[in-house]
Amino acid sequence: MKLAKYESKVLVFAMTFILALMFVLITMFSFNDHIRIYKVINASVIKDNLVEALVTDKELKTIYHNKYLFVDKKKRLIKIERIDRNILKRESKNYHNVLLKVNLNSKVKTNDLVALLFFDKKVDVISMIKIVWKGV
């Protein structure tokens, strides 16, 4: 079936309008959507529900700003029991010893290593695309 000239122009305009609308919607969602970035800190279990970690100044600040952390994909409440400051200085960084009270699984025993995930910041999708584009 042969189309008239005006019918093909209407089809091209309709497709262009739909593609432009989709582009605008994707751009809007990219600016509004945020991705959470977490900081991983490795710690060793001292006793039941007590973990000890050696952290830098920046990681210590992250711990201060969080009431919760993730262990084994579960959200856990934390309490800072003790902080020993300036335990180690290496490469112009100060390291601190932190003792945290965290409810852990019964499977975790003394001297086991545990990965603690602390919320660090939110990053929007556009910023992540810029970082990948720059190659940083």
Side-chain angles (χ1 to χ4, degrees):
M1 172 160 63
K2 193 171 183 179
L3 296 174
K5 282 189 175 185
Y6 73 91
E7 290 176 335
S8 62
K9 286 181 182 179
V10 169
L11 183 63
V12 169
F13 287 132
M15 292 300 288
T16 305
F17 178 74
I18 291 171
L19 288 174
L21 184 64
M22 287 176 51
F23 178 75
V24 168
L25 289 175
I26 290 172
T27 305
M28 283 178 29
F29 286 124
S30 296
F31 280 114
N32 291 335
D33 197 19
H34 289 87
I35 297 172
R36 293 177 174 260
I37 305 292
Y38 290 91
K39 182 78 174 168
V40 178
I41 297 173
N42 293 317
S44 61
V45 178
I46 295 178
K47 292 182 190 176
D48 293 337
N49 300 330
L50 280 175
V51 294
E52 182 180 40
L54 192 65
V55 296
T56 62
D57 292 326
K58 187 176 179 184
E59 292 169 341
L60 185 62
K61 189 175 179 181
T62 302
I63 293 172
Y64 274 135
H65 290 304
N66 286 292
K67 293 181 183 179
Y68 296 96
L69 61 84
F70 285 93
V71 177
D72 298 328
K73 299 180 183 178
K74 293 182 181 174
K75 190 175 183 179
R76 309 288 172 121
L77 181 67
I78 62 167
K79 182 181 176 192
I80 299 173
E81 291 291 320
R82 187 180 75 216
I83 298 174
D84 296 327
R85 294 186 175 272
N86 301 324
I87 296 294
L88 177 67
K89 185 171 184 174
R90 185 173 289 169
E91 297 177 7
S92 71
K93 286 186 180 180
N94 289 324
Y95 289 89
H96 315 287
N97 193 14
V98 179
L99 188 65
L100 299 171
K101 186 172 185 178
V102 181
N103 289 332
L104 298 171
N105 287 341
S106 60
K107 296 178 184 178
V108 178
K109 304 294 181 203
T110 305
N111 294 331
D112 283 350
L113 292 177
V114 180
L116 308 174
L117 288 125
F118 290 92
F119 172 73
D120 193 20
K121 59 185 172 183
K122 285 184 180 180
V123 178
D124 60 342
V125 176
I126 298 298
S127 298
M128 288 188 68
I129 292 171
K130 288 179 184 177
I131 289 170
V132 172
W133 191 266
K134 289 180 183 178
V136 175

